[in-house]
Amino acid sequence: MWTGVFPAVTTKFTEDDRLDHAEMERCFALQMEAGCDGIIACGSLGEGPMLSHDEKIDVLKTAQKIAGNKPVLLTVNEPGTREATAIARRAAREGANGLMVVPSPIYHTNAEETVAALRAVAEAGDLPVMIYSNRLAYRVDVTVDQMEELAKDKRFVAIKESSDDIRRSTEIINRFGDRYDLFTGVDNLAFEALSVGAIGWVAGLVTAFPRETVAIYQLMKQGRREEALTIYRWFRPLLDLDVSTYLVQNIKLAEVLAINTNDRVRMPRQPLSGERRKTVEKIVRDALAARPELPTF
């Protein structure tokens, strides 16, 4: 159902902490122009837990305006299942193409609770669902056995595999074949995941470097592995910025330097400063100075 590069887009704010829809439209358009295949709004990178439900729906509408006929998914990352089902219903009413659903980032559910909560959200929204499994960031592992339970419901169509264990991708394919659309959700494991069968990439650094991200995906799809690997090796220091407590600030700073936007974040986050900012700036500037020429595909 879903395949390709889906940016986990950043949410843009004005100086007085309101949503900056004009800047989001500009930045989202860069993703579409580069050949991305969909948009995921209000995820971890999009500061979803810091947004009200009204704001989430507003970001969804802006993404839909720019995406055209490409799918736009809204992330459900609420602390409680009551709130999660409520935003799932609203997303469905507003025409979202699907949901990316995270287990509660506050309460660390056990296996039975995880499955029950995910099912409740799927039933409430009645939309296709991408299961977001990220045991490192959220301390809840949606295991392969739990995925098998959820596979009984056809609304669960995809998995964003972010366990940080590349073996999990093969385990999912061995267990389910093509039952789920398998996406990688860890930027600095993307080449490895695409090599073993992932058909999509929920990407972070794509928001600053969309053409390079799409090039890696398309080259891998065409079997041009060595060409993809050359770009990936250049990209790796940047992709490592996605795997950090400061991923939002890191990537927004990369956007400042690469696409001339701002790095405003919503408190309690604050933009990078001091030595951490200097370190990230150097990584990005070094990459920009050595930016590879991209092949045609």
Side-chain angles (χ1 to χ4, degrees):
M1 181 174 180
W2 294 324
T3 186
V5 176
F6 281 43
V9 291
T10 57
T11 301
K12 292 300 178 186
F13 300 105
T14 61
E15 290 183 2
D16 59 352
D17 198 37
R18 293 179 292 110
L19 296 178
D20 188 343
H21 289 285
E23 185 61 4
M24 282 189 278
E25 287 183 18
R26 186 185 76 85
C27 294
F28 297 174
L30 294 175
Q31 305 299 302
M32 297 298 99
E33 291 164 8
C36 292
D37 300 284
I39 292 176
I40 295 181
C42 306
S44 305
L45 182 55
E47 298 174 77
M50 309 302 176
L51 304 177
S52 70
H53 281 193
D54 286 345
E55 287 177 318
K56 285 188 172 188
I57 295 301
D58 286 346
V59 175
L60 171 69
K61 290 178 179 179
T62 296
Q64 290 170 323
K65 178 180 178 181
I66 301 303
N69 61 0
K70 294 181 179 180
V72 179
L73 281 60
L74 184 68
T75 307
V76 176
N77 45 15
E78 321 310 305
T81 303
R82 180 183 64 175
E83 294 80 9
T85 55
I87 192 63
R89 292 188 190 98
R90 289 191 65 179
R93 289 197 298 268
E94 297 298 339
N97 299 105
L99 305 170
M100 185 172 76
V101 184
V102 182
S104 170
I106 302 299
Y107 174 69
H108 306 140
T109 50
N110 65 29
E112 182 180 357
E113 292 168 330
T114 300
V115 169
L118 291 171
R119 280 177 171 160
V121 174
E123 290 169 4
D126 196 25
L127 290 170
V129 171
M130 177 182 290
I131 302 164
Y132 183 10
S133 176
N134 189 333
R135 62 189 180 190
L136 294 184
Y138 298 113
R139 289 182 282 182
V140 173
D141 188 7
V142 184
T143 65
V144 176
D145 286 343
Q146 291 169 42
M147 293 173 193
E148 186 159 5
E149 281 293 303
L150 295 168
K152 299 170 186 175
D153 186 334
K154 293 182 180 179
R155 287 172 289 211
F156 292 101
V157 301
I159 296 164
K160 178 185 176 184
E161 165 40 35
S162 299
S163 70
D164 204 39
D165 182 352
I166 193 60
R167 292 170 294 192
R168 177 69 66 85
S169 295
T170 299
E171 290 165 6
I172 291 169
I173 293 170
N174 282 350
R175 180 80 67 95
F176 303 110
D178 61 0
R179 164 63 183 81
Y180 287 112
D181 297 334
L182 179 61
F183 281 65
T184 179
V186 182
D187 268 2
N188 63 3
L189 279 178
F191 180 87
E192 292 82 353
L194 293 169
S195 295
V196 298
I199 63 170
W201 180 359
V202 178
L205 267 298
V206 67
T207 64
F209 294 90
R211 296 190 183 281
E212 288 83 358
T213 307
V214 169
I216 291 170
Y217 178 81
Q218 290 294 339
L219 290 168
M220 290 296 288
K221 185 178 177 181
Q222 295 176 17
R224 296 161 64 179
R225 180 182 180 279
E226 291 304 318
E227 291 173 89
L229 184 57
T230 297
I231 301 169
Y232 185 68
R233 285 173 173 159
W234 162 84
F235 213 173
R236 257 301 300 273
L238 291 163
L239 298 177
D240 290 347
L241 298 175
D242 181 56
V243 187
S244 166
T245 302
Y246 300 97
L247 83 157
V248 175
Q249 295 97 316
N250 288 346
I251 292 174
K252 282 194 165 181
L253 180 53
E255 290 180 320
V256 168
L257 299 171
I259 63 170
N260 194 31
T261 186
N262 66 76
D263 62 343
R264 299 184 192 111
V265 289
R266 178 157 283 179
M267 291 181 70
R269 286 189 178 93
Q270 295 187 6
L272 297 181
S273 60
E275 289 303 315
R276 181 171 281 117
R277 189 178 186 91
K278 291 178 182 178
T279 297
V280 174
E281 281 189 349
K282 184 177 187 308
I283 291 169
V284 179
R285 292 189 190 280
D286 286 351
L288 287 168
R291 206 166 190 170
E293 183 176 346
L294 299 180
T296 57
F297 43 81

